[in-house]
Structure formats: C-alpha cells, structure tokens
C-alpha cells in the first residue's frame, strides 16, 4: 500500500485527490488528512477514508472535529496547529504528500515533506514561487521526488524525456509553450475592469477552482506565478518560456524541440488527470475523467497575450528577472490584495497596483535562508496592507 497525506484535503485539489484515490483503494491508503478549519467536511472524509491522523490548523475546529469523530466512533487521531502538518508529512507511513494548501501557508509543510525525502505532488505553486532555489535545493539534498500537479507543468513534464534535468539545451528543447485560457475577462473592455466583482472573477469559464486561484486566473497573476514555477521546475530562464493564450483549455501546455517537433498534452480541463498522473507516476491509473471526443471538439485557438490587459503578468516576469526575494514579495502582496478584493475592500484593477507598489517599496534581497524568505513575505504583507488602506480611504468602499 502507498501511504498518502493530503494537505488541504477540503479544497478543490484535495477533494479531487480523494476522488482519484477512492477509485484505487487497493493501492493507496490515506494516512493523514489536513485542513484549516472546515471540520465538518474533514469529519466526512475521515469517516470514508479512516486516516490515522487528521490535522486542523485552527484549534477550535480541531476540538469540534474530535467531538464529531468520537460520536461516530472513528479512531482517527486529531492534531492541531501548523507544526502538526510537518509532523504528519514526515511520518514513516507517508510515501506521498499532496501539497494542496493554498498560498504561502503551504510553504512550511511542503518543505518538511522535501526534507523527509517524500514524493511530493506539488499543487501549491506559491511555496515554490516564494522560495525558489531554496525549495529546489531541499528537494535535491534529501532525494525527494517533486512532481508538478499544476495542469500546465504536469503537461510539460509529460512532454519531456526522463532526463530533462540534464538541461533543456542538451535534450534539444527550444521553448516551453505555457498555455493559459486568459480567464473570464479575456474579451471584457478594459474600461470595465475596475467594476469587476468577486462573483464575476471567481466564475472561471473552463476550470472549477478555489477562490484565490480563480481570482489569480482572472488577473493572470496565476500565469505569472506559473511562469516562475516553470523556471524552477525545469531549471530554465524566462527566455525559453512563451505564454500562449488558448481559450478552450484542451491543450494543457507544449514543448517545442529544435527539430521542429512540438509535443502537447491534451485532455479535459479536469484536475483529476494530473493528480492521477502524479499519484501513479511512472505508471498510469484511471482518473475518472473521460477522454476527449476529438471529432466533436471545438476548434483550438492559440493567441498572444495582451500585456496591457494583464499587468500582473508583466510584474511576475519583472520579479523573476530581479530575482532573490522579489518573487516572495510578488506572491505575498498578491495574496493580501486578492483577499482584500474578495472582501470587497479593493477594486479588481488595484490588485496589480498593490503588487507593483510592494515591489517598488521593497528592495530584493538574496533569498539564502528560509528565515529571510519568511521575513520578506511578512514585510510585503504589511506594505501591501498599508497601500490597500490608503487606496480604500481615497476611493471609499468598492463594488
Ligand atoms: P482551495 O481554496 O479550494 O483549498 C485550499 C485548502 O487549503 C483547504 O483545504 C484549506 O483548508 C487549506 N488551507 C487554507 N489556508 C490554510 C492555512 N493557513 N493552513 C493550512 N491549510 C490551509 O484551493 P485549491 O483551489 O484547492 O488550490 C490549492 C492549491 O493548488 C493552490 O496553491 C492553487 O494555486 C493550486 N492549484 C489549484 C488548481 C485548481 O484547479 N484548484 C490548479 C492548479 C494549482
Ligand atoms: Mg495551472
């Protein structure tokens, strides 16, 4: 049996992971499930999967979960606090860690999984964006296996030979073609952007996702984070990555080789495909997703992104070029701005302005320790919050 810990079990990726595992209960055993505070959902999951451990980061929620499990005579041990996340990922019975916490909150536990040499299925792109080289070094130093779950990176991984770590030039890669749908506002007149509401922003045309990544998709900060993620995962600089808008979300990314070949991975826009791929790699298992009906498929379009429409894309690129803690600042300021937007305290167009302000205010440092990364993340959150306060005071309430 392969032991699995699912971090962020109650989220979109967590639920999809459990759906794949449910189909293969002969081979996979859930050792730990974790969530921030959604104790009722976690209780249902414990009832079905009977893990040895359940972690609630929030203590009050942990107490409620404990009571619910006791009532149902479920023997899962309940732990609380973020340090308990590290404890469960490092457990000897855990072989695979699904890193699916949203945002910087996932950093510590994902690094703990790397340190313990586990097989990491990385959905939590923010942790890699904020700590870059430190993260990749930890994976290498402890012989952990890092498999991308982000659909684009999973597609790129599938289109590369096994020895891609030898260097993209050596294996004849000309370009990585990173696709993105362009989000729900690809055709919205730019004059209307400032009136976009959270409800409109989280309604993605092709994918069903958590709120934060849905807003990131609408601003295309998601593609910016993915650009940075791709640089680290495939050990390349920005010059080898080209972003291509592909509104149908059928081709999940491509790799262009020097001989003129382009390899692509196609499939339904359903995260269970990359999740099943990561779980079974280097083998394959059924994901529960039907294959594409190629004959009745819509036409596939590929277009250049308009950088004016998506300032977050430009900011992500600039932060990666600056290097060091600039991407930490980018990520932290974005998280704060997206939350303020979801709370209706900030306009949609002010998300990128908040990030730009934080990047201007904070000089990038060398990201040589995790402590530096964490302190720069905190600093960026304070700077972003100050910007949001002054913007809100000037503009009055939004939406
Ligand atoms: P979500 O909001 O649906 O779920 C987030 C999960 O993280 C929940 O289980 C929640 O309890 C947990 N969580 C939140 N804050 C926490 C904290 N402070 N400490 C511990 N746990 C916490 O998010 P999602 O859409 O499932 O995305 C999860 C991650 O996967 C994100 O990093 C996202 O970028 C990435 N991702 C998601 C998709 C997708 O289709 N949803 C695709 C690619 C990548
Ligand atoms: Mg993606």
């Amino acid at each position: 049996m392969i032991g699995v810990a699912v971090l962020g079990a109650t989220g979109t990726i967590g639920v999809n992971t459990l759906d794949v595992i449910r189909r293969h209960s002969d081979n996979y055993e859930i050792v730990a499930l974790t969530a921030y505070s959604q104790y009722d959902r976690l209780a249902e999951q414990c009832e079905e999967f009977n893990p040895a451990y359940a972690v609630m980061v929030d203590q009050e929620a942990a107490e409620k979960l404990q009571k619910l499990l006791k009532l149902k005579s479920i023997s899962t041990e309940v732990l609380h606090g973020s340090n308990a996340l590290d404890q469960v990922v490092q457990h000897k019975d855990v072989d695979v860690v699904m890193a699916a916490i949203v945002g910087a909150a996932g950093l510590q536990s994902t690094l703990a999984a790397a340190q313990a040499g586990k097989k990491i299925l990385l959905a939590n792109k923010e942790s890699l964006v904020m700590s870059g080289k430190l993260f990749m070094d930890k994976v290498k130093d402890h012989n952990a296996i890092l498999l991308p779950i982000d659909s684009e990176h999973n597609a790129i991984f599938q289109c590369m030979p096994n020895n891609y770590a030898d260097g993209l030039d050596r294996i004849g890669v000309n370009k990585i073609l990173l696709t993105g749908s362009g989000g729900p506002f690809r055709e919205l007149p730019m004059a209307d952007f400032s009136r976009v509401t959270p409800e409109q922003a989280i309604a993605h045309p092709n994918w069903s996702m958590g709120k934060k990544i849905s807003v990131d998709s609408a601003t295309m900060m998601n593609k910016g984070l993915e650009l940075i993620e791709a640089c680290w995962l495939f050990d390349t600089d920005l010059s080898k990555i080209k972003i291509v808008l592909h509104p149908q979300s059928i081709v999940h990314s491509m790799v262009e080789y020097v001989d003129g070949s382009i390899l692509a991975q196609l499939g339904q826009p359903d995260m269970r495909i990359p999740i099943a791929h990561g779980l079974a790699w280097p083998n394959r298992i059924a994901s529960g997703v039907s294959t594409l009906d190629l004959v009745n498929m819509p036409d596939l379009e590929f277009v250049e992104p308009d950088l004016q429409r998506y300032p977050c894309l430009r900011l992500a690129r600039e932060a990666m070029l600056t290097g060091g803690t600039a991407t930490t600042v980018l990520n932290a300021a974005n998280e704060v701005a997206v939350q303020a937007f979801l709370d209706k305290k900030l306009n949609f167009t002010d998300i990128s302005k908040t990030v730009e302000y934080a990047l201007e205010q904070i000089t990038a440092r060398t990201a040589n320790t995790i402590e530096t990364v964490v302190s720069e993340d905190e600093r960026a959150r304070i700077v972003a919050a100050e910007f949001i306060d002054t913007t809100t005071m000037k503009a009055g309430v939004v939406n």
Side-chain angles (χ1 to χ4, degrees), residues 125 150-152 226:
K125 67 192 91 184
D150 216 344
S151 57
E152 297 78 3
E226 290 185 357

Side-chain angles (χ1 to χ4, degrees), residues 362-393:
I362 304 173
T363 310
R365 297 170 58 188
T366 311
N368 48 6
T369 66
I370 289 298
E371 289 71 27
T372 308
V373 166
V374 171
S375 76
E376 291 306 280
D377 171 274
E378 284 166 5
R379 192 135 78 102
R381 282 168 200 274
I382 294 167
V383 170
E386 281 165 6
F387 180 81
I388 291 165
D389 280 350
T390 44
T391 307
T392 316
M393 265 191 287

